Amino acid sequence: MENIKMNRAAVHLLEEWDPFHLGPDHYDTETADVVAALQGIDDPSALAKVIQETYEHSFEQWIPFEDCVAISYKLIAIKFEAKCII
């Protein structure tokens, strides 16, 4: 159950992030890839690298690493919050 809540919260956060200002419905594949990576990554820098590579590969646009780190911290916070809820 905690994974479902975590995944929904992570998807919602990534949809709101909208790094290329295309609207929330333009990132389904990238969101799925990042949420899948989140399952096995607890380090914000490692997750930020995945986020940056995933979005840049799909859209062929650069995203500042700092932006990816900022969103990765929020995603990891969601992950740990979900684990703490009994």
Side-chain angles (χ1 to χ4, degrees), residues 2-86:
E2 70 187 31
N3 269 354
I4 294 169
K5 287 183 180 179
M6 180 195 78
N7 289 349
R8 283 186 187 147
V11 166
H12 182 70
L13 180 66
L14 286 165
E15 286 175 347
E16 284 186 344
W17 184 42
D18 192 9
F20 301 121
H21 310 287
L22 301 173
D25 55 343
H26 285 83
Y27 304 102
D28 292 343
T29 301
E30 296 73 28
T31 297
D33 290 348
V34 171
V35 171
L38 178 61
Q39 307 296 325
I41 298 175
D42 294 336
D43 175 54
S45 293
L47 184 60
K49 187 167 177 55
V50 170
I51 293 167
Q52 188 179 46
E53 289 173 353
T54 299
Y55 281 79
E56 286 182 0
H57 177 76
S58 293
F59 293 93
E60 298 180 353
Q61 294 184 50
W62 180 75
I63 302 177
F65 189 68
E66 299 78 27
D67 293 356
C68 298
V69 169
I71 195 75
S72 74
Y73 270 100
K74 292 177 183 178
L75 288 165
I76 288 174
I78 288 170
K79 178 179 179 176
F80 284 107
E81 184 179 308
K83 285 184 175 182
C84 292
I85 297 171
I86 298 175

